[in-house]
Amino acid sequence: METGGSLVQAIRKPTLTPKAIIHQKFGSKASYTVEEVEEPTQNGCPGLAILQKGPCLYRCSLELPDFTIVSGSFKKKKDAEQSAAQIALEKLGFNLSADSPTAEEAWRELIARVKYIFSNEFLSALHPLSSHFKAALRRVGDLNASVPASVIAICDGKLNNLCKIINPTVESYPLLVLSYIMRAAAGLPELVVSAEGQLSIWRKDPYPPNVIESSISQQSDVAESITTMAIYIPCSPEKAVEPVILNISSTGYYLDVIAQILGLSDANMVLISRTIGKASSETRFYFAAPKSYPLDMSSDLLNAKVVPFGGPLNARASSLCGQDIYGDSILASIGYTWKGQDIFHEDVTLQSYYRMLISKIPSGVYKLSREAILAAELPLTFTTKTNWKGSFPREILSSFCRQYRLLEPLFCVSSIPLKASSELSRSNNKPAVSESAEQEREYANENESVDVDPKLVVLGSSFTCEVKIYSKCQDLILECAPNVLYKKQNDAVQSASLKVLSWLNAYLKDIDMSLEKEKQLANVFDIKFYRQIFFKEVVKCPSVCNCQHNETLGGKEPELNGVVENDASYINIEGTDSGLCPSNGSLLCVCYSVSLVTKGELQKELLESIEEFEFEMGTGAVIPCLEAVVSQMSVGQSACFYTELPPEDLVLAAAKDLANALAFLTSPCCLEYSIILLQVTEPPEDRMEQALFNPPLSKQRVEYAVQHIKEFCATSLVDFGCGSGSLLESLLEYPTSLETIAGVDISQKSLSRAAKVLHSKLVMKSDFDAPCRSIKSALLFDGSITDFDSRLCGFDLATCLEVIEHMEEEQASLFGDIVLSSFRPRILIVSTPNYEYNVVLQKSNLTSHEDDPEEKIRSQSCKFRNHDHKFEWTREQFQHWASELAVRHNYRVEFSGVGGAVDMEPGFASQIAVFRRVFLPEDDDGLKDEDLVCQYKVIWEWNRSKPPLPN
């Protein structure tokens, strides 16, 4: 952990995009047309006979008055538009690098902008600020046409950008904009008037009547009064937050109404914060300026001082807003927008206020995304994209950065070749990758904004991701570089994001932790952060929201029928045990409700309920006591338990009726959880196996095959049901006697990936001592393994690993007959899951097998390791199948396996049959012309002596 750091010494000034410059120069005369285009596909695998579909690309045509520009092809439409605009600017002779104005130039532009804002033309413009000007014309007496300077500061983005160029500290101290606006107004005495020490500006000469009539005609014919709800947040933390009603008449100005509630005479003394939440939101804080606002009117533009405000800091409002708020404040969602001339408004309720509070930390954002505030927790690990529920870690991290006004997180993905990743994992004593080697690889860039060089991506490689977060001033705040490798690029990005979120979660809940604990926490999550900058940008004032759910009852036994974590005596579980119990990695679906209950269960108030709530067991995706209870249930059972109250913010954010909830909280009460376990989906086969076996079963099966290759000096091997080529790829990492390898599968998508992987290994590894140098040829065929093709007849060794269970049992028997009677390899290795081992993998009771086959299927279906398995055999069933095949086709068969032991129940996790051909004197492996059958289609062929021609 470091105490300081900066990406760059000089702060980068904001610049306009090429498209924005074109708009400034040409306005509506610039016309963009974007079309989808098809580019020639480079599949990166010469000789591949499968047509590859390229990515969706876009090209933009920009039509200007004098010429038309066509851009190149891009993955995003906006990139194509920006490219076309940039080409046009270059043709027009614009130097983009020199387009950013200096501070002095920005100051002159700022004065010109203020002059334009008070012009006749601007009053009729479709702009949020012009609507404020029209509302100011309805103000009476001395306030008529008086425009609050704070409105100009928050409504005009161009003014703000110019102020940031003049003085970059405006980003951290937005109220500085008022100083620059008032100073610019003072430089226009012929146009506007501003009283000294006041925060309002008005035109020296009134608008002409025709201009006023023209602007008023743009508004709705029928003006209506408005009533909207807001939140009053006292400066004193001892005073309660309360709802207030804003009643705005059809002729009134909403800022004057807010001023009255704040105890001010008029809106000219109201200060307005930046938006809360989305940039398009109109949710802001309104608070009072001091009677004499301390404007810095010094002549030094670049070093305008941040003058002390002089009032008490509102800690609750400042924490929620991310900027300093002084005195009592009002939180409201009201204002004028770009969408129309009429006022926009939304109710801000107490519940929405408390939801904003809990969203200040990552776990709160995740709870809200799941609408399960009292049940969900930000998971500890990212397992699979399909099992993750709610907003993804990357989305939450981006949302966090926007909320704290930081730059978007920067993701740097590195691609590491498989061999290098294996060596790295051995040196770190960690698994080489976080996914099974049998999973299909993702070669496309799943998120285009991730910083990864496609030229560095090697097929079959692993990924690691580093995350960096910068302030708007380009200061590095924190970085996270997990030393973990992933098969999928998206998994690397999501997992690294989750590490950052988990650290932020823990740190923001205990910002006063000791330095020693701070260092330990950073080491646990692989975080390096710059403390001073982090506190300046994120921890602007002490967090008043602690959303950490209590895990125990403080060591005391509850007065109600309660439950403490891991204490089953307080749990009331009802219903018959169905035997379908959850285990780590299972995807659970529950129905639950949470209620506030008073002492003795005399009264109950429902807070939260969800009919179908899914989460993955063992990842920390729910509060600990909930997971502890569910782990003791089976499908169909219900449970009821009680917990101590979590932080009040969580209860009020979840409450359906806030008034009733507040009334309950005034007396001793607790939370009652009622749960029904609806469904348990067992984790994928590779996930279950990975949790128990090291190395994984997939690697053990490869080593088993390598052992037999070496034992029989096999020079040719065919893999039936090769899928995406995981076995063939893995074999290339071992020194063997193999010279020819082949694979057969019915999935062209998998074969395409297999071809790319094998091509990258065989072609790109040119070292003479590489293990795969013995391979002289490789072939991939598209076809069914129950069909015969004479080109694969008589191979030394054939494999069919974890394939037959994906077929119907009759098809599995047909494959056995075809391969042993027609293909006739010297050795055939077949592996399939041992059904009896599922009791270990799934931690459930083994379903008894009935005589009725249909009943057997119904009883087993939920117990199979993979939803695609058509059957799973016991040892007895598998040995009966293999022994009959061996006798019928003159083979000997031996039984073994991987994962487990032969002399210990329930045997091996993956059972293996090794068929050895018995050669008879009359055997003749020669094929006659009438025996030549070619039912397979060659998808890809590689020959060391004859490199394939490029596509």
Side-chain angles (χ1 to χ4, degrees):
M1 183 184 66
E2 301 291 336
T3 57
S6 176
L7 176 65
V8 289
Q9 296 297 323
I11 298 173
R12 187 173 66 190
K13 297 176 182 179
T15 58
L16 294 174
T17 65
K19 191 175 177 182
I21 298 173
I22 289 290
H23 179 72
Q24 281 186 345
K25 305 295 181 183
F26 297 97
S28 60
K29 295 179 181 179
S31 175
Y32 295 86
T33 303
V34 179
E35 60 179 354
E36 189 173 336
V37 296
E38 292 185 6
E39 294 284 334
T41 303
Q42 298 295 326
N43 58 37
C45 184
L48 182 60
I50 301 175
L51 181 64
Q52 299 291 289
K53 184 178 180 181
C56 183
L57 299 177
Y58 299 94
R59 182 183 297 140
C60 177
S61 174
L62 169 57
E63 185 177 348
L64 296 176
D66 297 328
F67 57 87
T68 299
I69 292 295
V70 179
S71 74
S73 300
F74 294 87
K75 291 183 178 180
K76 295 182 179 179
K77 294 180 180 180
K78 64 179 182 180
D79 291 342
E81 292 175 338
Q82 294 291 356
S83 174
Q86 183 170 352
I87 295 172
L89 289 173
E90 291 172 355
K91 187 169 182 177
L92 290 167
F94 284 92
N95 186 352
L96 293 180
S97 61
D99 199 63
S100 180
T102 64
E104 289 74 16
E105 291 171 339
W107 172 244
R108 289 194 292 270
E109 288 187 32
L110 178 64
I111 294 175
R113 182 66 182 173
V114 173
K115 185 176 181 179
Y116 168 69
I117 286 173
F118 281 89
S119 68
N120 294 340
E121 179 186 356
F122 183 76
L123 189 65
S124 300
L126 184 60
H127 191 289
L129 187 53
S130 69
S131 297
H132 281 276
F133 276 59
K134 294 164 193 171
L137 292 173
R138 296 195 297 267
R139 302 176 81 184
V140 296
D142 294 338
L143 297 177
N144 181 257
S146 175
V147 181
S150 58
V151 165
I152 301 174
I154 59 104
C155 284
D156 193 72
K158 291 184 179 179
L159 276 178
N160 274 273
N161 288 333
L162 290 169
C163 289
K164 291 173 186 177
I165 295 173
I166 296 168
N167 188 349
T169 57
V170 166
E171 184 66 52
S172 300
Y173 302 98
L175 293 181
L176 271 177
V177 175
L178 290 174
S179 295
Y180 288 111
I181 291 174
M182 296 305 295
R183 187 188 303 182
L188 297 168
E190 74 286 353
L191 178 65
V192 298
V193 177
S194 61
E196 184 177 352
Q198 297 299 309
L199 293 175
S200 60
I201 308 173
W202 59 94
R203 277 174 55 113
K204 187 175 182 179
D205 298 323
Y207 289 102
N210 63 317
V211 173
I212 295 177
E213 290 177 9
S214 174
S215 63
I216 292 177
S217 65
Q218 297 175 0
Q219 296 180 296
S220 298
D221 295 334
V222 181
E224 297 181 354
S225 298
I226 292 172
T227 299
T228 189
M229 186 176 293
I231 300 297
Y232 188 87
I233 306 175
C235 182
S236 171
E238 284 77 27
K239 294 182 179 180
V241 175
E242 298 178 345
V244 294
I245 302 296
L246 304 181
N247 292 308
I248 304 157
S249 68
S250 58
T251 58
Y253 186 27
Y254 76 89
L255 278 176
D256 285 328
V257 175
I258 291 175
Q260 291 175 10
I261 298 175
L262 289 172
L264 304 174
S265 59
D266 61 77
N268 293 341
M269 296 307 295
V270 174
L271 298 181
I272 309 173
S273 77
R274 294 181 292 200
T275 56
I276 312 296
K278 296 180 179 179
S280 59
S281 166
E282 285 301 316
T283 305
R284 304 174 187 270
F285 278 100
Y286 299 83
F287 56 106
K291 293 183 179 179
S292 179
Y293 186 76
L295 295 173
D296 175 29
M297 303 297 285
S298 66
S299 60
D300 188 356
L301 289 174
L302 289 174
N303 297 296
K305 297 177 182 178
V306 182
V307 182
F309 199 90
L313 186 71
N314 189 323
R316 286 180 291 193
S318 299
S319 175
L320 188 56
C321 180
Q323 78 176 75
D324 292 343
I325 306 294
Y326 298 91
D328 296 346
S329 65
I330 289 176
L331 178 64
S333 182
I334 188 170
Y336 296 103
T337 69
W338 290 93
K339 296 178 180 179
Q341 298 287 322
D342 297 328
I343 194 168
F344 165 86
H345 62 95
E346 278 184 332
D347 286 342
V348 178
T349 64
L350 274 175
Q351 186 190 53
S352 58
Y353 164 75
Y354 286 111
R355 289 187 168 219
M356 290 180 194
L357 274 183
I358 69 172
S359 71
K360 294 298 288 184
I361 59 175
S363 65
V365 178
Y366 181 76
K367 287 172 178 287
L368 290 171
S369 75
R370 300 229 56 196
E371 286 295 329
I373 296 172
L374 298 174
E377 281 288 3
L378 182 68
L380 301 174
T381 57
F382 183 85
T383 54
T384 64
K385 187 175 180 180
T386 53
N387 276 13
W388 184 275
K389 306 301 176 183
S391 296
F392 284 96
R394 178 174 180 167
E395 297 171 14
I396 298 175
L397 185 58
S398 295
S399 173
F400 178 89
C401 290
R402 288 192 293 269
Q403 188 173 187
Y404 284 87
R405 289 181 169 80
L406 309 174
L407 292 180
E408 286 290 312
L410 177 65
F411 300 91
C412 302
V413 177
S414 300
S415 172
I416 302 176
L418 187 60
K419 183 177 180 180
S421 67
S422 299
E423 293 173 354
L424 179 63
S425 66
R426 285 194 293 269
S427 64
N428 294 323
N429 195 26
K430 292 181 179 180
V433 292
S434 66
E435 299 290 346
S436 166
E438 291 184 331
Q439 274 195 315
E440 292 184 342
R441 293 157 179 80
E442 293 184 0
Y443 301 114
N445 188 340
E446 292 192 8
N447 199 314
E448 297 163 4
S449 61
V450 175
D451 182 14
V452 60
D453 186 352
K455 297 178 181 178
L456 300 179
V457 178
V458 179
L459 299 180
S461 59
S462 302
F463 296 96
T464 183
C465 179
E466 180 182 9
V467 184
K468 294 183 179 181
I469 297 178
Y470 294 91
S471 70
K472 285 287 181 70
C473 296
Q474 299 290 312
D475 292 319
L476 179 59
I477 297 175
L478 67 84
E479 51 190 320
C480 175
N483 194 18
V484 182
L485 302 177
Y486 297 87
K487 280 288 184 184
K488 298 181 180 180
Q489 179 178 306
N490 181 62
D491 289 354
V493 172
Q494 299 292 357
S495 297
S497 300
L498 185 55
K499 280 223 169 192
V500 176
L501 292 173
S502 299
W503 177 82
L504 288 168
N505 223 32
Y507 197 89
L508 292 176
K509 289 176 181 177
D510 187 14
I511 59 174
D512 296 322
M513 67 177 67
S514 65
L515 286 176
E516 183 63 29
K517 184 178 178 181
E518 194 177 271
K519 291 179 181 178
Q520 292 177 354
L521 187 66
N523 289 334
V524 167
F525 293 105
D526 300 312
I527 295 290
K528 181 180 180 182
F529 82 107
Y530 302 94
R531 197 171 191 275
Q532 293 177 351
I533 301 172
F534 180 79
F535 267 71
K536 174 187 173 184
E537 298 292 339
V538 179
V539 194
K540 288 184 170 66
C541 57
S543 175
V544 295
C545 174
N546 178 11
C547 303
Q548 188 172 11
H549 203 293
N550 294 331
E551 298 184 4
T552 68
L553 302 181
K556 298 179 181 180
E557 185 173 313
E559 296 181 9
L560 298 170
N561 296 327
V563 59
V564 293
E565 187 181 355
N566 298 326
D567 189 344
S569 61
Y570 294 107
I571 306 170
N572 180 23
I573 298 178
E574 296 181 347
T576 305
D577 186 354
S578 65
L580 300 177
C581 302
S583 58
N584 284 347
S586 302
L587 189 63
L588 275 59
C589 182
V590 302
C591 169
Y592 80 90
S593 64
V594 187
S595 302
L596 272 172
V597 181
T598 59
K599 185 177 180 180
E601 299 188 51
L602 298 177
Q603 291 181 302
K604 183 185 295 187
E605 173 68 21
L606 179 65
L607 297 176
E608 180 177 287
S609 62
I610 297 182
E611 292 185 0
E612 293 184 355
F613 179 74
E614 289 187 322
F615 66 94
E616 186 176 357
M617 190 77 170
T619 61
V622 293
I623 59 173
C625 54
L626 177 57
E627 184 165 298
V629 171
V630 172
S631 66
Q632 302 174 53
M633 300 169 64
S634 64
V635 172
Q637 288 187 322
S638 61
C640 181
F641 64 93
Y642 300 86
T643 70
E644 190 182 43
L645 287 179
E648 186 176 288
D649 294 338
L650 286 177
V651 174
L652 297 178
K656 299 180 182 298
D657 188 324
L658 209 64
N660 284 353
L662 286 168
F664 267 74
L665 292 174
T666 59
S667 58
C669 56
C670 69
L671 292 186
E672 177 192 77
Y673 284 78
S674 298
I675 313 170
I676 301 174
L677 182 55
L678 302 176
Q679 184 178 350
V680 173
T681 304
E682 294 297 342
E685 182 180 1
D686 62 300
R687 290 273 311 285
M688 290 189 293
E689 294 175 353
Q690 192 176 7
L692 287 178
F693 302 108
N694 188 19
L697 288 185
S698 57
K699 185 173 179 61
Q700 292 187 43
R701 285 190 286 267
V702 171
E703 292 174 344
Y704 190 93
V706 170
Q707 175 187 340
H708 283 76
I709 292 170
K710 291 181 176 180
E711 180 182 347
F712 294 97
C713 299
T715 60
S716 57
L717 177 143
V718 56
D719 186 21
F720 290 105
C722 64
S724 56
S726 58
L727 172 64
L728 299 176
E729 174 199 359
S730 300
L731 289 176
L732 299 182
E733 298 294 331
Y734 295 85
T736 65
S737 54
L738 288 176
E739 297 178 1
T740 300
I741 58 174
V744 184
D745 205 272
I746 59 173
S747 169
Q748 288 199 354
K749 182 179 179 181
S750 296
L751 288 169
S752 176
R753 293 179 174 179
K756 293 175 183 179
V757 170
L758 295 176
H759 177 266
S760 68
K761 290 292 182 64
L762 292 168
V763 174
M764 297 181 184
K765 291 197 171 185
S766 57
D767 300 340
F768 286 99
D769 58 347
C772 63
R773 286 294 298 178
S774 66
I775 303 296
K776 296 179 180 178
S777 63
L779 297 100
L780 293 176
F781 294 93
D782 176 16
S784 170
I785 62 174
T786 58
D787 293 331
F788 174 66
D789 191 299
S790 56
R791 288 170 290 184
L792 295 179
C793 186
F795 270 53
D796 288 340
L797 195 146
T799 55
C800 185
L801 306 183
E802 309 297 294
V803 173
I804 61 172
E805 63 273 10
H806 295 271
M807 312 163 68
E808 297 295 343
E809 292 188 64
E810 307 82 54
Q811 292 292 305
S813 297
L814 176 59
F815 161 72
D817 287 327
I818 293 289
V819 72
L820 296 182
S821 66
S822 301
F823 288 105
R824 297 185 65 76
R826 290 173 56 199
I827 304 292
L828 170 66
I829 301 175
V830 179
S831 75
T832 190
N834 173 15
Y835 176 79
E836 296 166 276
Y837 206 90
N838 291 3
V839 66
V840 178
L841 292 173
Q842 301 171 358
K843 299 179 181 178
S844 60
N845 296 323
L846 187 64
T847 305
S848 60
H849 289 182
E850 303 292 341
D851 293 334
D852 183 356
E854 294 184 1
E855 182 61 26
K856 177 180 72 173
I857 292 173
R858 285 195 296 270
S859 65
Q860 288 184 346
S861 60
C862 61
K863 304 295 290 183
F864 290 167
R865 301 183 196 178
N866 190 305
H867 66 87
D868 190 48
H869 287 184
K870 302 300 189 293
F871 65 87
E872 286 183 5
W873 283 335
T874 63
R875 287 168 289 178
E876 180 182 353
Q877 289 173 310
F878 180 57
Q879 290 173 15
H880 176 74
W881 173 82
S883 298
E884 282 196 344
L885 282 174
V887 171
R888 198 155 56 236
H889 301 291
N890 204 29
Y891 276 77
R892 294 197 308 270
V893 63
E894 299 172 357
F895 298 97
S896 183
V898 293
V902 67
D903 55 349
M904 293 181 60
E905 290 296 323
F908 293 105
S910 183
Q911 50 189 339
I912 297 177
V914 180
F915 297 85
R916 289 181 170 83
R917 181 178 171 186
V918 178
F919 286 89
L920 299 176
E922 61 272 18
D923 283 347
D924 181 9
D925 285 339
L927 292 175
K928 300 177 183 179
D929 291 341
E930 59 269 22
D931 297 328
L932 297 179
V933 178
C934 298
Q935 298 196 66
Y936 295 164
K937 178 183 177 182
V938 177
I939 290 300
W940 176 75
E941 183 175 4
W942 178 86
N943 193 298
R944 190 173 294 278
S945 61
K946 290 183 179 181
L949 296 174
N951 293 345

